[in-house]
Amino acid sequence: MEKCQRMQMDDFMNSLPSYMRASPFTHFEQTYEDYEACTPEQLDILKHRIEEKKKKERVTIDVIDENPLSSWTPSAAGVAIQTSYDGLTLPPCTCDDVRDESCEINQVYNNMIVAESWKANYLIWVLPTVLLIGLLSIFGVLALFFAIRLYAKLTCGRYREKTRMDGKTVIVTGCTSGIGKETAKELAKRGAKVIMACRSLDKAEKVKDDIIKSTNNPNVVVKKLDLSSFASIRSFAEDINNTEKTLDVLIHNAGYAETFRKEKSEDGIELTMATNHYGPFLLTHLLIDLLKKNSPSRIVIVASSLYRFASMDLDNPNPLTTLPGYLYYMSKEANILFTRELARRLEGTGVTANCLHPGMIDSGIWRNVPAPLSWGLALIIFCFFKTPFQGCQTSIMLAVDDKLSKVNGKYFSDCQESSLSSSASDMGRARKLWEISEKMVKLEEGDPKITV
């Protein structure tokens, strides 16, 4: 009897195509090296080894009396090839002459099938469970987003009074999109004459047509105003003072934000600060006489609670080298300090000044945020931000509510008065910023003055 050969796995595996070598079902290795003859006793040992292999690998192994070698010929002794998902065929030991029927081991084990079970019963519950967990996770995330949006909607302030504004004139800056557009539309719906003070006349004309169509109020006017340009502000103010007999409400809504790109205005002032603070400061001065003439009148300044992330640097009022994204926050604190000092100086004149946080709004201002920061921001906007209509509610309330006719120097959020940080409440800082701003905007001898 010939001695059984040890299986030559490495040589055979290297001879297989790459797709077979990569498969987890490629082989089932079993080595036999201690047998001089394939006796019945040895067969028992082989069966025992197979059972041990079964337990170790957690596979199903069956021995049946069918001859699989009629359609299978190994290129190396004792190597198995995966032939299906149901199992693989393995003659665990062969003799030198695999075709010699006198070789007892060959005669017996030509009839052996070793089936390694990667059967479907393992996938019957595993795959559905994985899919179910995945679906539940997706639905859970969507439900969380929906709950957050619902909470934001239910908790945001809404001005529900039907107060009319017939016969009153309102200026709204920066109203070609976002909360400015919604503010102008809502005021027109209440009967006011709305002057849209905008940088882009083409966009403003299209918005004006939409407002007139939706409100049936033809008394909507577009005028050119670039708050980053002192010349544009003076031209606009001169036009208003010459053509308008009354001015009841001035709403400083326009805002500019840039993340990284550093720019300065034609007057040499950092663009964010010029647009968000110094421009409104100069415009208020140039229109204050018209507002006083028609008192009681109101000034409404759209600030933001984001002011808490920064502090106005009074030693560097023109921060040309500072990151613009930070300057947006700083300009919002400047809005609040300006409002506080303006209100103090207007006491007893019949003109009030209040500021507000509109909420985080899904508006055009966020288009300046570059990718990839904008990708994450888009998700935050979807979950937490208000719509422009929701965001304009506090502005509308401060502009029209009769109960607020004498309220002055306050900060509002979600249609109710809100608290300020100690820094934004510091009247010493507010007065110093005012003095700095007077120099920055270059008030002229003949310009109106707002004094105590």
Side-chain angles (χ1 to χ4, degrees):
M1 185 66 63
E2 298 291 338
K3 180 178 179 180
C4 294
Q5 295 181 333
R6 180 184 179 88
M7 299 168 64
Q8 302 299 316
M9 179 59 66
D10 292 339
D11 292 341
F12 175 70
M13 288 299 296
N14 291 333
S15 71
L16 291 175
S18 60
Y19 73 89
M20 294 182 69
R21 292 199 300 271
S23 170
F25 305 111
T26 299
H27 69 275
F28 182 101
E29 180 181 357
Q30 184 70 52
T31 303
Y32 310 92
E33 63 179 339
D34 298 327
Y35 299 98
E36 293 295 329
C38 300
T39 65
E41 291 80 6
Q42 292 171 336
L43 299 183
D44 291 336
I45 295 175
L46 290 176
K47 290 179 181 179
H48 175 71
R49 288 193 177 186
I50 292 173
E51 290 299 322
E52 291 299 317
K53 185 72 173 180
K54 171 183 175 182
K55 294 177 182 178
K56 180 178 180 180
E57 299 295 333
R58 295 185 179 178
V59 299
T60 301
I61 303 174
D62 299 312
V63 179
I64 61 176
D65 290 331
E66 293 181 5
N67 186 0
L69 294 183
S70 59
S71 60
W72 178 82
T73 302
S75 60
V79 176
I81 299 176
Q82 176 68 35
T83 58
S84 74
Y85 284 98
D86 291 330
L88 53 81
T89 304
L90 174 67
C93 186
T94 61
C95 298
D96 285 338
D97 183 4
V98 297
R99 297 303 180 189
D100 184 358
E101 293 184 358
S102 65
C103 179
E104 182 179 356
I105 188 69
N106 187 59
Q107 291 173 348
V108 174
Y109 284 94
N110 277 351
N111 299 324
M112 181 178 289
I113 295 178
V114 180
E116 181 176 7
S117 178
W118 290 75
K119 295 181 179 179
N121 61 314
Y122 278 87
L123 302 178
I124 288 176
W125 62 272
V126 174
L127 183 59
T129 301
V130 171
L131 291 175
L132 181 60
I133 293 174
L135 289 174
L136 290 176
S137 299
I138 293 172
F139 285 131
V141 172
L142 293 176
L144 178 61
F145 289 164
F146 176 78
I148 291 173
R149 285 186 64 84
L150 181 61
Y151 174 79
K153 182 177 180 179
L154 294 176
T155 56
C156 72
R158 177 80 181 272
Y159 183 65
R160 301 182 183 278
E161 299 296 328
K162 305 299 182 181
T163 309
R164 298 290 299 175
M165 295 286 284
D166 301 284
K168 295 187 177 182
T169 300
V170 181
I171 293 176
V172 183
T173 67
C175 49
T176 56
S177 63
I179 61 175
K181 176 182 176 180
E182 294 299 327
T183 300
K185 182 184 294 186
E186 184 64 22
L187 292 170
K189 187 184 299 182
R190 294 171 183 267
K193 176 181 179 179
V194 178
I195 298 175
M196 300 173 58
C198 304
R199 183 173 54 183
S200 172
L201 294 181
D202 291 339
K203 290 182 180 179
E205 288 292 341
K206 293 179 181 178
V207 173
K208 182 193 80 170
D209 293 340
D210 176 66
I211 291 175
I212 292 174
K213 183 178 180 180
S214 63
T215 64
N216 292 318
N217 181 356
N219 211 4
V220 181
V221 180
V222 171
K223 292 186 180 291
K224 174 75 173 181
L225 174 62
D226 181 356
L227 281 168
S228 70
S229 165
F230 294 157
S232 176
I233 294 169
R234 289 184 175 277
S235 177
F236 172 82
E238 182 180 6
D239 181 15
I240 294 298
N241 285 319
N242 290 335
T243 60
E244 300 298 327
K245 295 181 180 180
T246 63
L247 178 59
D248 299 278
V249 184
L250 171 60
I251 301 179
H252 289 299
N253 172 81
Y256 174 80
E258 180 60 66
T259 307
F260 299 112
R261 186 175 55 188
K262 299 175 182 178
E263 295 183 281
K264 60 182 179 180
S265 72
E266 61 186 43
D267 302 293
I269 298 177
E270 194 283 323
L271 195 60
T272 303
M273 292 300 299
T275 305
N276 295 358
H277 170 63
Y278 293 117
F281 181 88
L282 176 59
L283 181 60
T284 301
H285 277 75
L286 299 179
L287 294 180
I288 194 64
D289 286 344
L290 188 59
L291 285 162
K292 288 180 179 179
K293 177 182 175 181
N294 296 281
S295 63
S297 55
R298 309 180 187 193
I299 300 170
V300 178
I301 300 174
V302 179
S304 172
S305 65
L306 293 176
Y307 82 88
R308 295 179 182 274
F309 292 109
S311 179
M312 181 66 196
D313 186 356
L314 300 178
D315 294 324
N316 184 20
N318 189 20
L320 293 171
T321 61
T322 305
L323 189 69
Y326 177 80
L327 292 179
Y328 176 79
Y329 308 146
M330 197 168 81
S331 71
K332 295 294 104 176
E333 188 189 46
N335 289 157
I336 297 171
L337 292 172
F338 168 48
T339 302
R340 300 270 292 166
E341 180 63 13
L342 176 62
R344 187 182 73 84
R345 291 171 180 252
L346 291 176
E347 284 290 349
T349 65
V351 183
T352 61
N354 294 286
C355 58
L356 66 109
H357 167 56
M360 302 305 295
I361 311 299
D362 182 6
S363 65
I365 198 170
W366 304 107
R367 287 195 296 265
N368 290 330
V369 177
L373 296 178
S374 60
W375 302 341
L377 180 61
L379 181 60
I380 296 174
I381 289 174
F382 174 79
C383 292
F384 298 100
F385 283 26
K386 296 179 181 179
T387 65
F389 175 76
Q390 292 169 337
C392 80
Q393 297 301 306
T394 307
S395 295
I396 297 300
M397 183 191 73
L398 291 178
V400 309
D401 193 350
D402 291 333
K403 295 191 292 290
L404 299 178
S405 61
K406 296 183 179 180
V407 174
N408 194 26
K410 303 300 182 181
Y411 173 71
F412 288 80
S413 177
D414 279 323
C415 294
Q416 58 186 348
E417 188 176 340
S418 187
S419 61
L420 289 168
S421 69
S422 58
S423 177
S425 301
D426 188 338
M427 293 305 298
R429 297 183 71 239
R431 284 192 291 272
K432 185 174 181 180
L433 175 62
W434 185 282
E435 294 168 358
I436 291 170
S437 299
E438 285 181 325
K439 297 177 181 178
M440 292 294 295
V441 303
K442 300 176 181 178
L443 285 177
E444 299 173 0
E445 186 66 29
D447 290 337
K449 301 295 190 296
I450 305 176
T451 58
V452 180

